[in-house]
Structures are given as C-alpha cells and as structure tokens.
Amino acid sequence: MAKPKLKCGVVGVGSLGQHHARIYASLPGAELAGIFETSDARAAEICAKFNCKRFTSMEELGAACDAVSVVVPTDKHAQVALPLLAQGCHLLIEKPLCASLEEAEQVLAAARQHGCLVQVGHIEHFNPVMSYLEKHTGRPQYITTERLAPYQTRGTEVGVVLDLMIHDIGIVLALVKSPIRKIDSVGINVLSKTEDIANARIEFENGCVANLSASRMSLKKNREIRVFQDNAYLSLDFMNQKGHLVKKSDIIAYGLKLKVGLAKAGEDKVPVHEIPIEKGEPLAIELAHFIESVRAATQPKVGGALGKSALEVAITVTEQIRTNQQKG
C-alpha cells in the first residue's frame, strides 16, 4: 500500500521560495498544500501556477502541513520557525539557520521539544559535485574556495559571509572533519552596511588549511573549490557541475613509462582527468531528501548540528571583520 503524500507548505515564495513550491508540486511523495506570502500579487501568481492554496496565516498553514520550507530573510527565520515547530511541523530552513547563535539554539531546542526534524538549506551539499568530493576527498591538506556573485539588494540583510561564504564553510567543515584551531578574516563594506567582500583563512587541528573568498560585487558568477591532498588535486565547479582531477599515481606511472622508454611523444607529463559528474538540480535533490528524512524519521544530511556549526564559524568571521574595521 502506497504511503500517503506528505503535505508540504512554503513560507515566502520570492525568487527562491517559488522553486520550493514548484518542486513540492512535482515530487512524487509530496503534495503542495499551500503557501504563506505577504504579497497579494505574488501569492496569486504562485497559487495559479501550482494550483495550491494561499493560507491567511502561518498558523493556518502549520495546521494543514506536515513539512514546511522557511524561505524568508535570515533575520526572520526564528520568528517564522518557532511557531511552526510548536505546531509539530518538520522544517527545511534556508541557510543560514538563523541570524544569531542564540536564535539557532532556540530553534533547535524547539525542534527537540516537539519531536520535529530541522534540515538547513545548505544546497551545495546536494550538488552532484559534493557527492563526488565526499567520495574522492581523503585527507585534504589545503582547500581554496571562491564564490562570486553580482550585487543585488536581496540578501543584504546579512553580510556576504552569511549570505554566500557560509555555503563553503559548511562544505569545508564536512570535508575536513576536524576541530578548528584558528580563523583569520578580512572584509570590506562597499555598497552595504555589512561586508560585501570577505576572505577567511581557517586552520584546522589536523593541519589542513582552508582559504575561503566570497564577493557579491562581481560582474560574473563563480562557485569553485580546489582540494589538495597527498595523493591528488581536485578542481571542481559547483555552478557548471564539472571539474578535473590529477592523481599522483598517474604521475608515478608516467615516470615509469618514461624510464623504460614507453612514453609517447608529446604525452602530457601531468595526466588530467575530466570528472564525469551526473548533473542534477540540487534543490530538487535537497527537497526529495528532506521529504524522505521526514518519512523515515531519520536525521537529514544537513541537520541542525551542521547548520549551527557553519553559522558559528560564519559569525566568528563576521565579528573579526567588524573588529578589524573598527580598528581601522
């Protein structure tokens, strides 16, 4: 007998929330019960497009739904999440989990109290690129990340660290799996009240160093990571879902071929492998995982603990930036 579909809702159907609604409306195990949206025009547009109900209050939405996506500005996350958790709704909260650690702790405590799952929308963890990294990254010794985006007013209620860099913080924490020893950060406010460009150097207890750069003042979009370890170098592009790999074993094999005279004329001394990545829509993979986690009552891949850890690092970075700016 087929399980009944999970009744899902979305709070906030702006540029990102509309895609949550679209995917819930198409997922086999889900039913888009409805949305809560303050804009009349936007609500009418989304309800017409996906044949769903506009709830007049979050309480009404919470009563009708098993699972809800919270896709509102970061500073409103706790305000929206806490009453929904009290109604027993499982939540996918877009990253970052909250605007402060105090609010994050309140949300996670409420989730425990009411027996609800909280998944944090660190979408890159569901990018096929991340799946490849998780399988092929052993003991990274040096990692660089670059995340660039053009300036837009959406998201500027927080700085670029909480807006963009937090993606890469979560990725690095998941790959390195070691306590942090030291963080050094720099950032500059350009058009916003908070930093628009930032760099953080993170040293881990196991010796790995990660250098993270983020900017929302770029003319182009870019989301890349490079991982250096004792047996390989990986360079991957999250946006275009592609990359390449250089393996130490291939270089050793080439050296042996050269030694015995079997290397072909003009053969590259550093064999570079294009990485075969099966492309997919990360948000669809993420929401399908959320639905399955709720159905199976299992902790999601990006649960509250990782969401809170990434937030803690991001806040440390932003506080260092603020302190350095005040000194200047």
Side-chain angles (χ1 to χ4, degrees), residues 58-277:
M58 280 197 299
E59 291 74 22
E60 187 186 2
L61 176 140
C65 294
D66 305 303
V68 176
S69 282
V70 176
V71 198
V72 297
T74 302
D75 53 0
K76 301 289 191 296
H77 282 186
Q79 178 184 326
V80 171
L82 291 172
L84 289 172
L85 289 168
Q87 288 182 278
C89 292
H90 304 285
L91 301 183
L92 190 151
I93 303 175
E94 269 301 338
K95 65 80 203 159
L97 174 55
C98 288
S100 70
L101 283 174
E102 292 77 14
E103 287 182 342
E105 285 161 2
Q106 288 173 17
V107 167
L108 298 182
R112 289 191 296 270
Q113 179 185 348
H114 299 290
C116 298
L117 292 183
V118 168
Q119 180 171 318
V120 186
H122 284 264
I123 193 170
E124 297 288 37
H125 288 259
F126 299 92
N127 191 314
V129 167
M130 186 63 176
S131 300
Y132 185 90
L133 280 169
E134 288 168 330
K135 289 176 186 172
H136 295 88
T137 300
R139 187 176 181 274
Q141 295 170 315
Y142 182 59
I143 299 174
T144 68
T145 71
E146 184 178 64
R147 189 165 293 260
L148 311 177
Y151 187 82
Q152 54 184 4
T153 54
R154 184 180 66 83
T156 54
E157 74 277 359
V158 294
V160 74
V161 174
L162 283 170
D163 183 23
L164 298 181
M165 186 187 284
I166 195 165
H167 282 294
D168 296 316
I169 291 170
I171 290 165
V172 167
L173 291 179
L175 293 177
V176 179
K177 299 182 180 69
S178 172
I180 291 172
R181 180 168 60 205
K182 185 182 179 186
I183 300 175
D184 289 305
S185 316
V186 63
I188 301 169
N189 303 6
V190 182
L191 298 179
S192 309
K193 294 179 181 178
T194 51
E195 79 285 346
D196 292 308
I197 299 172
N199 176 268
R201 185 178 188 275
I202 305 174
E203 295 180 20
F204 292 88
E205 294 287 354
N206 67 0
C208 181
V209 173
N211 196 308
L212 284 59
S213 295
S215 169
R216 55 188 182 198
M217 296 301 303
S218 175
L219 295 178
K220 63 175 183 176
K221 289 184 177 180
N222 190 44
R223 297 168 11 221
E224 294 185 352
I225 185 169
R226 294 173 180 83
V227 180
F228 302 81
Q229 50 194 39
D230 59 8
N231 65 346
Y233 157 62
L234 301 91
S235 175
L236 292 115
D237 179 341
F238 278 94
M239 187 168 68
N240 297 303
Q241 297 181 349
K242 64 180 185 178
H244 60 265
L245 167 69
V246 176
K247 294 191 289 186
K248 183 178 180 180
S249 58
D250 287 340
I251 298 171
I252 293 172
Y254 174 82
L256 291 173
K257 285 167 71 178
L258 193 65
K259 190 173 183 180
V260 298
L262 293 178
K264 297 176 183 176
E267 187 175 347
D268 196 337
K269 293 181 181 180
V270 182
V272 177
H273 301 276
E274 292 300 314
I275 296 172
I277 295 174

Side-chain angles (χ1 to χ4, degrees), residues 303-326:
L306 179 58
K308 183 183 171 188
S309 296
L311 177 63
E312 189 168 10
V313 174
I315 287 175
T316 299
V317 171
T318 56
E319 287 177 347
Q320 283 188 358
I321 289 171
R322 200 167 295 124
T323 298
N324 290 338
Q325 288 174 340
Q326 288 169 353

Side-chain angles (χ1 to χ4, degrees), residues 4-72:
K5 291 187 175 184
L6 215 63
K7 293 186 184 299
C8 301
V10 182
V11 179
V13 286
S15 59
L16 179 56
Q18 65 177 323
H19 296 296
H20 282 250
R22 168 178 60 82
I23 292 166
Y24 282 138
S26 64
L27 279 176
E31 174 191 332
L32 180 59
I35 63 168
F36 177 77
E37 168 61 48
T38 56
S39 165
D40 292 341
R42 187 62 164 177
E45 177 190 347
I46 298 300
C47 289
K49 188 180 288 187
F50 303 117
N51 190 30
C52 65
K53 179 178 179 179
R54 181 192 187 184
F55 291 103
T56 57
S57 67
M58 280 197 299
E59 291 74 22
E60 187 186 2
L61 176 140
C65 294
D66 305 303
V68 176
S69 282
V70 176
V71 198
V72 297

Side-chain angles (χ1 to χ4, degrees), residues 281-296:
E281 184 183 1
L283 185 60
I285 299 169
E286 179 182 50
L287 293 183
H289 176 81
F290 174 52
I291 295 301
E292 184 52 39
S293 298
V294 172
R295 282 184 172 281

